[in-house]
Amino acid sequence: MDILVFLDGATTKADTYTTTDIIAKYGQVEAHAVRQMVRRHGADLSEFGVLAFDVPKPPKGSKGGRPHKNYKLNEEQAALLITYLANTPPVRRFKKELVRQFFTQREELATRRAYRSIERKTRRMLTDSIQAWPHRNQWSYKQFTDLLCKALRG
């Protein structure tokens, strides 16, 4: 199955989310019905966080069409919304995969946080060394960071 859960950034403070379009597509439910369900149960969903959305642009080459809201649901909101869906076989498969992917993304974030805490001491040593360097200028931090990234990643 495709990617169902996304991270909203590359930092350790990123949050996981899925969208109503993903729920509709992989749960084989009409997208309009899922959005209508979000509006109907918006108060319940808002208890678990802000109900964010975006309005995607139509794909290139299409004649446009009526824009729609694509809600971004965090893990708790998505879990609540999918409990409101009927338990048809496609929906049950989708629910299992969605739960798996939310847990996978949560583990990814935990790994990021662990690496970040390990690397924090090294980064502190580097910035202290740059600050003590007598030839330091306003670009020294960026230049050393870029140089390290190139050395490590090619």
Side-chain angles (χ1 to χ4, degrees), residues 88-106:
T88 62
V91 169
R92 286 199 321 271
R93 281 193 303 274
F94 167 71
K95 287 178 181 181
K96 289 190 292 187
E97 186 59 27
L98 186 69
V99 168
R100 276 190 201 100
Q101 288 193 24
F102 266 117
F103 276 93
T104 301
Q105 291 291 18
R106 193 181 306 158

Side-chain angles (χ1 to χ4, degrees), residues 115-132 141 145 148:
Y115 282 134
R116 177 75 174 135
S117 67
I118 291 168
E119 122 190 335
R120 183 174 286 136
K121 294 175 190 169
T122 306
R123 182 70 180 177
R124 173 55 55 198
M125 287 176 17
L126 174 66
T127 57
D128 289 346
S129 298
I130 293 171
Q131 186 153 9
Y141 296 100
T145 301
L148 283 171

Side-chain angles (χ1 to χ4, degrees), residues 1 35 51-52 56 66 68 86 88 92 99 128 138 142 147:
M1 197 171 267
R35 287 191 299 274
L51 248 166
R66 188 173 184 163
H68 67 275
T88 62
R92 286 199 321 271
V99 168
D128 289 346
Q138 67 182 7
K142 180 181 180 340
L147 182 64

Side-chain angles (χ1 to χ4, degrees), residues 46-98:
S46 293
E47 289 180 27
F48 298 101
V50 175
L51 248 166
F53 67 89
D54 61 358
V55 180
K57 293 184 177 181
K60 285 194 175 208
S62 72
K63 294 182 179 180
R66 188 173 184 163
H68 67 275
K69 288 182 179 179
N70 188 16
Y71 291 93
K72 292 182 173 183
L73 306 171
N74 64 29
E75 185 174 358
E76 293 86 4
Q77 291 168 331
L80 180 61
L81 184 65
I82 63 176
T83 60
Y84 294 153
L85 297 175
N87 277 326
T88 62
V91 169
R92 286 199 321 271
R93 281 193 303 274
F94 167 71
K95 287 178 181 181
K96 289 190 292 187
E97 186 59 27
L98 186 69

Side-chain angles (χ1 to χ4, degrees), residues 128-137 140 144:
D128 289 346
S129 298
I130 293 171
Q131 186 153 9
W133 189 43
H135 306 290
R136 172 178 50 96
N137 62 31
S140 296
F144 277 104

